[in-house]
């Protein structure tokens, strides 16, 4: 029995300044989210109704594509009012370019508004990072942001998505970020959703991973990121019994959602999740069809499962609403 445990309401109403090659939201320069004011107004009502009628659910609000809201202090106060984790933990990728003085002002503002920790993503050293992020000067800008955060004593973490192209940069990048004051440097494997599916040809494999120093290798959580071969030996790891429901407030659905009560929106989206997963065989069946028992590329289990579903969908010419597309209302199973 699938259990809904939480609801995240979001609006993709703020542009991102990057064009990252693995963008989960497939950002292409076009705003798809409903306006900020309408989104906040509706989110407040939906969350209030969910808190009343489904107090067992955790209901929160967030926005994207980036955190560069034109009135960021006011936006942070709204997030705090709506119990959003982003009010205290801020992802700082894709913000507009700032000089040293402007970075310092931003960091002082964030600290004053109650932000407790920042996170930054680095795709490699300067040249590779800028190409991957799709913006010249982005690496240097992020380093300015780190220095400013350190100057106001605002803690930050840094993440490095690994692939076979950037692996030669990673040891040096880890040293650089640790020296810059990052409280934690962690390695990840790029997801396979959004534009991430286009990175399959450079997905990290075991041989490339072993070129890293032992200290750097330990920064990858190998309980979460494993080779295909390892996942196929534990097919039960793909079993999901819980889900987060995502309600995306968009220009093309906001009028309809404003006429609906929260429970109706919730049931509608749960039905989309049920229909999507019912259209595919389970993980062991798909693994038998498409899995490579000797596969040495690294995956998160949900990405490997998603990779198999995409192959099945293509082979069976299956047309179905994709609940994993986080630009639209859908779900995240876990």
């Amino acid at each position: 029995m699938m259990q809904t445990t939480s609801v995240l309401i979001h609006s993709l109403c703020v542009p991102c300044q990057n064009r990252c090659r693995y963008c989960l939201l497939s950002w292409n320069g076009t705003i798809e989210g409903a306006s900020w004011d309408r989104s906040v107004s509706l989110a407040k009502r939906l969350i209030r109704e969910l808190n009343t009628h489904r107090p067992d659910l955790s209901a929160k609000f967030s926005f994207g594509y980036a955190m560069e809201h034109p009135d960021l202090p006011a936006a942070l106060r709204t997030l705090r009012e709506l119990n959003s984790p982003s009010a205290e933990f801020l992802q700082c990728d894709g913000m507009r370019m700032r000089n040293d003085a402007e970075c310092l002002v931003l960091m002082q503002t964030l600290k004053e508004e109650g932000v407790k920790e920042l996170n930054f993503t680095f795709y490699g050293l300067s040249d590779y990072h800028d190409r991957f992020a799709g913006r010249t000067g982005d690496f240097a800008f992020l380093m300015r942001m780190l220095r400013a955060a350190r100057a106001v004593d605002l803690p930050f973490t840094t993440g490095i998505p690994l692939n076979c192209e950037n692996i030669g940069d990673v040891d040096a990048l880890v040293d650089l970020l640790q020296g810059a004051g990052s409280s934690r440097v962690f390695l990840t494997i790029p997801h396979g959703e959004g534009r991430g599916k286009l990175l399959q040809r450079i997905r990290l494999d075991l041989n490339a991973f072993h070129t890293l120093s032992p200290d750097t290798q330990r920064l990858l959580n190998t309980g979460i990121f494993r080779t295909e071969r390892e996942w196929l030996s534990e097919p039960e790891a793909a079993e999901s019994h819980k889900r987060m429901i995502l309600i995306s407030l968009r220009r093309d659905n906001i009028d309809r959602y404003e006429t609906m009560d929260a429970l109706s929106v919730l049931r509608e989206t749960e039905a989309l999740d049920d229909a999507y997963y019912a259209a595919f065989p389970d993980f062991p069946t798909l693994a038998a069809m498409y899995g490579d028992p000797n596969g040495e590329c690294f995956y998160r289990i949900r990405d490997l499962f998603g990779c198999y579903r995409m192959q099945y969908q293509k082979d069976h010419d299956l047309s179905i609403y994709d609940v994993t597309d986080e630009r639209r209302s859908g779900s995240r199973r876990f």
Side-chain angles (χ1 to χ4, degrees), residues 109-123:
T109 299
L110 295 180
K111 189 167 185 177
E112 290 168 0
E113 290 298 331
V115 174
K116 305 297 184 187
E117 185 176 84
L118 310 176
N119 177 257
F120 302 85
T121 305
F122 287 81
Y123 303 115

Side-chain angles (χ1 to χ4, degrees), residues 9 18 78 190 216 296 299:
I9 303 167
N18 290 352
T78 296
T216 300
E296 294 192 340
Y299 292 84

Side-chain angles (χ1 to χ4, degrees), residues 59-164:
K60 296 179 172 62
F61 173 75
S62 69
F63 69 92
Y65 294 85
M67 298 303 296
E68 191 66 80
H69 190 281
D71 188 350
L72 188 53
L76 289 170
R77 290 192 286 273
T78 296
L79 292 175
R80 189 158 50 249
E81 178 185 352
L82 294 175
N83 199 31
S84 171
S86 298
E88 294 189 353
F89 178 78
L90 202 68
Q91 172 58 252
C92 293
D93 301 326
M95 302 186 82
R96 68 172 177 83
M97 289 285 187
R98 290 170 168 84
N99 59 31
D100 287 332
E102 291 169 326
C103 287
L104 189 60
V105 169
L106 173 64
M107 295 303 160
Q108 290 169 332
T109 299
L110 295 180
K111 189 167 185 177
E112 290 168 0
E113 290 298 331
V115 174
K116 305 297 184 187
E117 185 176 84
L118 310 176
N119 177 257
F120 302 85
T121 305
F122 287 81
Y123 303 115
L125 296 174
S126 181
D127 290 345
Y128 186 83
H129 172 92
D130 286 0
R131 290 197 304 272
F132 195 99
R135 180 164 64 156
T136 301
D138 192 64
F139 183 91
F141 166 56
L142 291 186
M143 294 304 296
R144 290 197 294 275
M145 295 274 273
L146 300 191
R147 290 192 294 271
R150 196 171 185 179
V152 303
D153 198 26
L154 187 53
F156 58 87
T157 62
T158 49
I160 307 172
L162 301 177
N163 63 62
C164 284

Side-chain angles (χ1 to χ4, degrees), residues 306-317:
C307 190
Y308 293 161
R309 289 198 306 272
M310 282 192 292
Q311 293 182 61
Y312 181 91
Q313 184 171 359
K314 180 180 178 181
D315 289 348
H316 293 79
D317 195 25

Side-chain angles (χ1 to χ4, degrees), residues 27 40 50 118 122 138 154 187 234 246 251:
W27 166 245
V40 169
L50 288 170
L118 310 176
F122 287 81
D138 192 64
L154 187 53
L187 308 181
E234 299 181 28
L246 173 67
R251 293 179 176 183

